[in-house]
Amino acid sequence: MKTNQIRSILVAAAIVMIFQIMCLASAERQWITQLNNGMQVVIIEDHSSPLAASVINIRAGSATETLSTNGLSHLVEHMLFNGTVNRTGEELKSEVPGMGGYINAYTRKDYVAYEIVMPAEYFAKGLEIQADQILNSILPEDEFQREKKVVSEEIAQDIRNASAAANTAAMELLFGPVGYGLPTIGNYATVNAATREQALSFYTSRYVPNRMTAVIVGSVNPQEILVTLRELYESVQPGMDSPGQFSTPEFPPEGQLKILHRDVNSDAVVMVLPAPAITDSSWFPFQIALYLWANAPDGPFQERISPLARSAMAYVTPHDGFSLVTISIRPLETNVAPTPEKTLEKMKKALLESIQEFISDGADHQQVSRRIRSARVDHEFSHERANHLARDIGSLAALDALDNYWSFEDRIRSVTPEQVNNVFSEWFADVKPVAVLILPDAADEDLKEIPRVDQPVVRKLENGLTVISMYDPYADLAAINLLIRNSMSEYPGIPRIVAELLNAGTSSMTREELNEALTDLGIRTKLADWPWLPFDDYYDSIEYNYLQMECLSEDIGDAMSLFGQMVFDSVIPDEAWSDLSGYMRMLAGNAESSAASQSARLLSRMMFESEFHQQSRLPLMKDIPNITSDTLRHYYRQAYQPSEAIVSVVGNVRPETVLEYAEKFLTGYSSLPAGEPPKALLNKPQRGFVSMDDPVASVRAALPIEITSESLPVWSVIATILSDQLQEEIRYRRGQAYRLGAALNEMHGFTYLAIGIGTRGENLVEVEEAARDIVDAVSSMTFDDTTVSAAVNSLRGREFRYRQRRINRAYFLAWRHWLGYGIGYERSWTDRIGEVTVEAVNDAMKSLKSADQWFWAVAGQEIADNDVDDAPAGMDTSYGS
């Protein structure tokens, strides 16, 4: 025993010495080393949150595949959740959530990544589970066929995306049908033909330590983490270093234009250009040049492409030894439908002319300085979530580009206009793009203690505006949020349109001047966003609009001034709505052809007597020609009242300073008398069906429930249990859904338990029946302490993750206050979840109704006449198709 203790002390001392050597001088809490078997380790110690994340990157992505093995990286990633020599699949999926953690994986072209986020107190156990998953998976035969169906569901969802299809086609033109030229997600033929033996061979050849990078970020002790990683991984022998089919792109001297017809849901254009490798010294100047040329609103490419496109965005993707610039374009239908060849030639011409214009004019000092500041904000923004930071660093490590992170601040600050102009000319002076236009087929046209932050302060200004401020000394970014109540509008979707136009100019600034002021401060703004979702997906609520703004904490005063002008002094110019209408037509068209959107609309129409709550969040295609800028301005003047708004601020700014700026910049806007908020009057439970040609189908269900501040955490746990049951049966056992879950939907004075399932049309009947059976089974269950504890920990860990970013903390403060619970309730929310007992859950379960007492909305391919017999009275069962 003493010998082992002495050995442990010596090992620990050696590790401390190694870390002292490897610790980077520019950031004392960042560490990098390598295990004896070649596994690379990066650790960032950060105690500002009681969480820790681990991302293990493995060089095993689709770039290592051939045409006959395409999809194996993705399929093996799925299979690694189905059991190891030490754990069953059920244990592997439940242990981490049962400790309040999150476990996931994703596949890219250059690597596959496995991710966990855990409360710090359980992190060592999480690392052990993650290592077991990566090193000891058995790829069980009885799960293999089911998992192939799950991957096929994801392929079905992905291949109808026009931009993704255009990008896949462009990559195949550059690389051929191998390596980088293959779709990352895989394809039906190879996935369906894959055998367990193929997958096992792929797994054993690539999942070796010398092809792995471990990135650990969060509230950890680096020395202890390195000891744990050595114990878990160092006994594993290295394997073959680089199997696969890595290749470099081949750009034809004159470029290439190609028009393809696919089974997709819209038109899309993708143009691809070469770019410097991420390890090249010109990487940072190139990033600045790319933005100023292609993405800046007043940049030459945006100005030249705007007559041809609804939207265009350029981004650079680094790979092993090279990079690619991808320009994703949403073309205008009027330009594509008559002469697609001519449209593609026009786009190529606009691209090349904009390149020559940028080379001729060059970037000046002011433009470069602005973009550097924005890049610094973006970089700080990536720190807000431990798992996102771990992902970013892991991807850099996989490409041998870690120095891009360590030296970011020095390198981005040192970029000069001369470097920007030189690197742009070097790469683009004689470039010719590879471009693909995708058109729909003719048939388709029709836990440690958190370091102290101050308690939030709430103040109501004289004009009725509520201001909430919370000081966070760890935040280099400040988050400013607006939550403003919607009112009834003349047409559905007007609140969303108005939100999108808040940056179109004010009474004292044109759109160009406003955006220039925002750009000068590096401010990030989103005008319609739902921050509850973990990856910042766009969304908006019927009951309120939400705006978010992020800036450096040092710029909070200037940011709040601009914020107030955007929200309460917008003018909504005629030309702004004219410019936006094409984009809104695209959103409306996608929604009206989407089973998920149509099932959501149907559910609202069935549930509510209130016309307000029946409204679509997006405008309807038939209404858009009737919506004028006068209509929008009228709604804006009526709805955007300070008395109907909550502004919340979280950052490294004292509340007294925030309130001082609020008094200075936000009190000058007056309020009109406000009406009572609309009440959510309910119908009786019923079922409705929308017939659509889309091969993807959607099932939604809702149960209104009575909620109090005491019962809300209990029902949140019940929703988690129901979601787990749906996942287990429909996704994991049957492989019949690409997206599903259950959650509480909280509205003003009203809450309902909701289920959402996305599947293929051929599975629709079986999936809906399964969901009903699960609801009936759960409503009659009595749960034990193990089930409830696992759900409590899972939900509590999820809530920690959602609230980790400062922008989300600001939102939740405002949202809870708006719902009437108060900011004190929000501050104690995760503690309240932790106090939920099995007795409280089982007591609440007595009021969980059977499936025939729920509202059910189904959208998909019509399957039989009797499936629409019980549609609600007056319901057009074919609307939106």
Side-chain angles (χ1 to χ4, degrees):
M1 186 66 175
K2 286 186 176 179
T3 301
N4 290 337
Q5 289 175 338
I6 293 171
R7 184 180 298 119
S8 299
I9 292 170
L10 291 174
V11 169
I15 290 169
V16 171
M17 290 178 65
I18 292 170
F19 266 57
Q20 287 173 339
I21 294 170
M22 298 300 294
C23 176
L24 299 178
S26 62
E28 292 181 356
R29 293 183 297 132
Q30 300 170 353
W31 313 79
I32 179 171
T33 189
Q34 185 171 295
L35 304 189
N36 290 331
N37 56 12
M39 184 178 186
Q40 196 169 15
V41 177
V42 180
I43 302 173
I44 296 183
E45 183 184 5
D46 179 0
H47 297 289
S48 65
S49 169
L51 298 172
S54 169
V55 174
I56 308 292
N57 277 27
I58 301 158
R59 283 181 285 131
S62 57
T64 69
E65 297 171 352
T66 65
L67 187 60
S68 63
T69 62
N70 182 218
L72 281 184
S73 295
H74 185 205
L75 181 57
V76 167
E77 173 223 308
H78 276 249
M79 285 300 299
L80 260 63
F81 287 86
N82 286 285
T84 73
V85 295
N86 303 307
R87 290 174 171 84
T88 65
E90 290 73 19
E91 291 170 335
L92 199 57
K93 294 163 190 168
S94 64
E95 276 192 81
V96 169
M99 290 180 284
Y102 167 80
I103 184 169
N104 205 351
Y106 47 92
T107 301
R108 299 290 184 261
K109 288 192 179 293
D110 293 282
Y111 57 88
V112 181
Y114 293 83
E115 171 183 320
I116 61 166
V117 187
M118 302 284 290
E121 61 191 290
Y122 300 123
F123 189 57
K125 183 64 175 177
L127 288 177
E128 186 268 316
I129 295 169
Q130 186 181 45
D132 190 30
Q133 175 191 26
I134 292 171
L135 300 176
N136 302 317
S137 282
I138 57 175
L139 282 63
E141 180 66 48
D142 57 346
E143 297 290 341
F144 194 71
Q145 295 303 320
R146 180 198 58 79
E147 206 62 62
K148 290 202 296 185
K149 292 173 64 178
V150 173
V151 172
S152 294
E153 287 285 345
E154 293 186 1
I155 294 172
Q157 177 74 358
D158 192 70
I159 60 177
R160 283 180 57 79
N161 182 291
S163 295
N167 186 71
T168 296
M171 293 295 280
E172 184 170 350
L173 289 177
L174 287 171
F175 295 94
V178 66
Y180 289 108
L182 298 171
T184 303
I185 199 169
N187 64 78
Y188 281 132
T190 54
V191 168
N192 290 333
T195 65
R196 178 179 176 274
E197 288 69 28
Q198 280 181 302
L200 195 60
S201 174
F202 193 92
Y203 168 60
T204 55
S205 67
R206 286 156 176 79
Y207 282 62
V208 291
N210 51 310
R211 297 178 64 80
M212 298 180 184
T213 300
V215 180
I216 313 294
V217 176
S219 186
V220 298
N221 180 303
Q223 289 84 6
E224 292 177 358
I225 289 298
L226 189 55
V227 170
T228 301
L229 292 176
R230 289 188 185 280
E231 292 173 349
L232 293 173
Y233 289 94
E234 203 158 50
S235 62
V236 182
Q237 295 300 307
M240 186 165 51
D241 184 48
S242 55
Q245 301 292 323
F246 285 97
S247 52
T248 55
E250 295 184 9
F251 282 87
E254 295 305 314
Q256 188 169 2
L257 306 182
K258 198 171 186 67
I259 298 172
L260 300 172
H261 290 265
R262 293 285 188 269
D263 181 17
V264 294
N265 51 18
S266 64
D267 310 325
V269 172
V270 162
M271 295 183 173
V272 183
L273 304 168
I278 192 172
T279 52
D280 194 282
S281 61
S282 62
W283 175 257
F284 285 94
F286 185 84
Q287 295 285 328
I288 303 291
L290 180 66
Y291 174 82
L292 295 176
W293 161 63
N295 291 334
D298 57 350
F301 179 69
Q302 290 293 336
E303 290 185 348
R304 290 180 183 269
I305 203 68
S306 59
L308 305 172
R310 298 179 181 134
S311 64
M313 176 63 69
Y315 56 92
V316 59
T317 305
H319 295 294
D320 192 1
F322 67 93
S323 299
L324 296 173
V325 171
T326 302
I327 304 172
S328 182
I329 303 172
R330 291 276 191 176
L332 292 172
E333 291 176 354
T334 53
N335 288 321
V336 171
T339 55
E341 293 82 3
K342 186 176 180 181
T343 295
L344 201 53
E345 287 286 354
K346 284 183 177 180
M347 289 185 175
K348 176 184 175 182
K349 181 181 179 183
L351 176 88
L352 297 179
E353 288 178 349
S354 70
I355 288 173
Q356 293 307 313
E357 179 183 345
F358 192 82
I359 291 174
S360 174
D361 295 346
D364 59 33
H365 180 76
Q366 184 184 40
Q367 290 173 316
V368 172
S369 296
R370 286 178 183 173
R371 187 54 195 163
I372 288 173
R373 195 179 192 115
S374 295
R376 290 175 59 210
V377 172
D378 294 343
H379 185 69
E380 292 295 339
F381 189 79
S382 71
H383 294 193
E384 292 290 289
R385 289 185 180 180
N387 55 322
H388 286 193
L389 179 56
R391 289 176 194 170
D392 292 345
I393 294 175
S395 63
L396 291 173
L399 300 173
D400 296 322
L402 273 174
D403 187 59
N404 283 27
Y405 179 77
W406 309 133
S407 62
F408 173 83
E409 191 72 17
D410 291 338
R411 294 179 67 182
I412 197 69
R413 282 175 175 270
S414 66
V415 172
T416 65
E418 292 75 20
Q419 291 173 331
V420 169
N421 296 327
N422 289 340
V423 71
F424 188 86
S425 297
E426 177 187 349
W427 281 90
F428 286 166
D430 300 313
V431 74
K432 299 295 187 296
V434 166
V436 175
L437 167 60
I438 291 284
L439 297 171
D441 284 337
D444 277 348
E445 287 181 359
D446 298 319
L447 297 159
K448 289 181 181 179
E449 182 178 352
I450 304 175
R452 183 179 181 277
V453 295
D454 282 1
Q455 292 293 326
V457 174
V458 182
R459 175 80 53 83
K460 181 165 280 194
L461 305 183
E462 290 182 2
N463 59 1
L465 177 69
T466 299
V467 179
I468 302 173
S469 176
M470 187 174 78
Y471 172 61
D472 183 346
Y474 300 102
D476 292 320
L477 286 180
I480 309 173
N481 291 244
L482 171 79
L483 191 152
I484 191 163
R485 179 166 70 87
N486 288 337
S487 58
M488 191 68 186
S489 54
E490 183 177 352
Y491 296 104
I494 282 184
R496 170 62 187 266
I497 296 172
V498 168
E500 295 280 2
L501 291 171
L502 292 178
N503 66 347
T506 72
S507 64
S508 61
M509 286 188 289
T510 65
R511 165 182 265 170
E512 291 72 23
E513 290 169 339
L514 175 59
N515 282 284
E516 183 176 353
L518 294 169
T519 302
D520 280 344
L521 294 173
I523 291 175
R524 295 166 57 118
T525 301
K526 285 189 177 178
L527 303 172
D529 188 65
W530 181 254
W532 183 279
L533 301 178
F535 301 112
D536 221 16
D537 304 70
Y538 280 88
Y539 193 82
D540 33 21
S541 166
I542 276 294
E543 295 198 312
Y544 60 83
N545 270 348
Y546 171 75
L547 180 150
Q548 70 178 42
M549 179 181 282
E550 302 128 31
C551 64
L552 295 172
S553 293
E554 64 200 62
D555 295 326
I556 188 66
D558 291 335
M560 287 186 71
S561 174
L562 292 172
F563 179 88
Q565 293 176 71
M566 286 176 60
V567 174
F568 299 120
D569 192 30
S570 190
V571 293
I572 310 182
D574 295 347
E575 64 272 15
W577 168 230
S578 177
D579 293 342
L580 182 67
S581 59
Y583 173 66
M584 298 311 297
R585 281 195 298 270
M586 179 193 73
L587 292 182
N590 287 345
E592 291 176 22
S593 64
S594 159
S597 297
Q598 290 301 301
S599 63
R601 284 184 57 196
L602 176 59
L603 189 64
S604 296
R605 292 181 66 185
M606 289 193 303
M607 287 183 67
F608 300 113
E609 295 177 19
S610 161
E611 185 180 351
F612 172 80
H613 289 89
Q614 290 183 15
Q615 281 196 112
S616 168
R617 293 173 174 85
L618 289 170
L620 305 180
M621 287 285 285
K622 66 182 181 63
D623 289 337
I624 290 178
N626 302 319
I627 298 174
T628 67
S629 50
D630 284 336
T631 307
L632 300 174
R633 285 191 287 265
H634 175 76
Y635 176 84
Y636 169 75
R637 287 191 293 267
Q638 296 297 316
Y640 276 72
Q641 305 299 321
S643 58
E644 299 301 305
I646 299 172
V647 172
S648 56
V649 180
V650 173
N652 190 4
V653 188
R654 292 287 182 182
E656 56 268 24
T657 303
V658 171
L659 295 173
E660 177 186 335
Y661 285 133
E663 292 281 355
K664 181 177 180 180
F665 296 121
L666 303 180
T667 54
Y669 306 104
S670 58
S671 293
L672 298 174
E676 289 295 317
K679 295 181 180 179
L681 304 175
L682 296 181
N683 290 312
K684 293 181 180 180
Q686 53 193 310
R687 179 185 183 276
F689 180 83
V690 182
S691 178
M692 305 183 68
D693 285 334
D694 196 334
V696 177
S698 177
V699 177
R700 292 182 186 268
L703 176 70
I705 52 178
E706 295 288 337
I707 288 289
T708 65
S709 59
E710 289 74 25
S711 66
L712 179 58
V714 177
W715 278 101
S716 298
V717 172
I718 291 173
T720 301
I721 293 173
L722 178 58
S723 187
D724 290 343
Q725 296 286 329
L726 290 164
Q727 292 272 357
E728 180 64 29
E729 176 62 29
I730 297 176
R731 180 172 173 81
Y732 296 133
R733 291 186 181 173
R734 298 169 180 251
Q736 290 182 324
Y738 61 85
R739 183 185 298 115
L740 80 165
L744 284 185
N745 279 3
E746 294 178 71
M747 304 171 76
H748 207 328
F750 175 71
T751 303
Y752 61 93
L753 184 57
I755 292 172
I757 306 173
T759 185
R760 281 193 285 183
E762 63 197 62
N763 299 326
L764 182 57
V765 173
E766 193 175 344
V767 164
E768 184 186 358
E769 289 176 352
R772 287 176 174 271
D773 290 343
I774 292 166
V775 168
D776 286 336
V778 171
S779 66
S780 61
M781 286 181 180
T782 299
F783 295 107
D784 58 23
D785 188 64
T786 300
T787 301
V788 173
S789 295
V792 165
N793 286 337
S794 175
L795 179 60
R796 195 159 181 257
R798 187 189 74 181
E799 298 301 304
F800 270 134
R801 296 193 301 276
Y802 285 161
R803 287 159 171 78
Q804 185 181 352
R805 272 186 33 210
R806 276 84 180 182
I807 194 73
N808 283 10
R809 293 185 202 172
Y811 164 75
F812 283 115
L813 288 171
W815 183 59
R816 290 289 188 207
H817 188 79
W818 184 78
L819 288 174
Y821 292 106
I823 57 176
Y825 189 89
E826 165 57 26
R827 295 278 289 168
S828 65
W829 173 241
T830 51
D831 291 336
R832 288 173 180 265
I833 294 171
E835 294 165 0
V836 171
T837 65
V838 66
E839 292 79 15
V841 169
N842 285 323
D843 187 54
M845 287 290 295
K846 296 173 184 176
S847 58
L848 183 64
K849 307 294 185 182
S850 59
D852 60 359
Q853 297 298 306
W854 289 54
F855 293 87
W856 291 86
V858 183
Q861 294 172 334
E862 191 164 353
I863 33 188
D865 290 341
N866 62 357
D867 287 311
V868 296
D869 285 348
D870 50 0
M875 177 67 68
D876 176 6
T877 58
S878 62
Y879 80 84
S881 61

